Amino acid sequence: MERSYKTIFKYGEDEIIINKSRFISYAIPIESEEDALEFIEEIKKKNRDATHNVYAYVVGETSNIQRFSDDGEPSGTAGIPALEVIKKEDLRNVAVVVTRYFGGTKLGAGGLIRAYTRGCKIGLEASTIVDMVPHMKLKTSIDYTAYGKIENYLINSEYIIDDTIYDENVNIYLYVKINDLELFNKDMMDLTSGDVEVEEIGIEHIAIKNGKRII
């Protein structure tokens, strides 16, 4: 059964200075562990003269892959705090790298944990956190005489219209949440007196924020 999950929609980057050390945070949505490893290598090359390139990532809708690295910082003070931020936000398919340029002042274990926690957070905040909600993509074919009624119904609903093609019939391509499929089909039958064809094309996860689709 397809389920909703939270992730980030786009690349995010931000930085913060803590006791003269510069922390740069990079966050990116990923589809696989390979994506995460490629991204980490890319950031390491970009910041090859940095003191540390700490990372954490979570892959899979059930968070089945979780990895982190302290990259030379004292054990438990960098990678785990970053991973905990991702887990606390309940995010999936996300990779974060926090790059540190040492500024000459040691932070101590507690200071490092706070710094990498904050560093991970600012990268995620620079991204857009969204809900990936499973929808069924449908092709709904209706007669022109029913179009006005159906159009009005769809405008006042939360269904996402992808495209409308006019040929012998009006063909409306749209996304309906899996849980709403039964209601949608019933409403279509009622509004058209049964003169409607609804074809299921396939399930897709759609990025939703504050009830609206993000593109």
Side-chain angles (χ1 to χ4, degrees), residues 10-77:
K10 62 179 183 178
Y11 170 81
E13 179 182 332
D14 202 356
E15 65 177 84
I16 190 170
I17 306 294
I18 300 174
N19 285 4
K20 299 181 181 177
S21 279
R22 182 181 175 211
F23 292 85
I24 312 167
S25 182
Y26 308 89
I28 193 170
I30 53 174
E31 293 295 326
S32 65
E33 188 163 22
E34 289 72 26
D35 288 349
L37 296 172
E38 277 181 27
F39 175 64
I40 291 160
E41 282 308 307
E42 182 185 317
I43 298 303
K44 282 183 174 180
K45 283 179 186 172
K46 182 178 179 178
N47 296 286
R48 66 185 72 215
D49 55 340
T51 320
H52 307 280
N53 286 291
V54 168
Y55 68 77
Y57 60 86
V58 174
V59 184
E61 289 174 36
T62 58
S63 303
N64 51 306
I65 300 174
Q66 301 180 16
R67 304 275 188 269
F68 67 88
S69 169
D70 294 313
D71 195 38
E73 292 283 28
S75 180
T77 64

Side-chain angles (χ1 to χ4, degrees), residues 123-135:
L124 296 174
E125 286 166 1
S127 312
T128 301
I129 294 177
V130 295
D131 290 300
M132 297 298 288
V133 181
H135 287 67

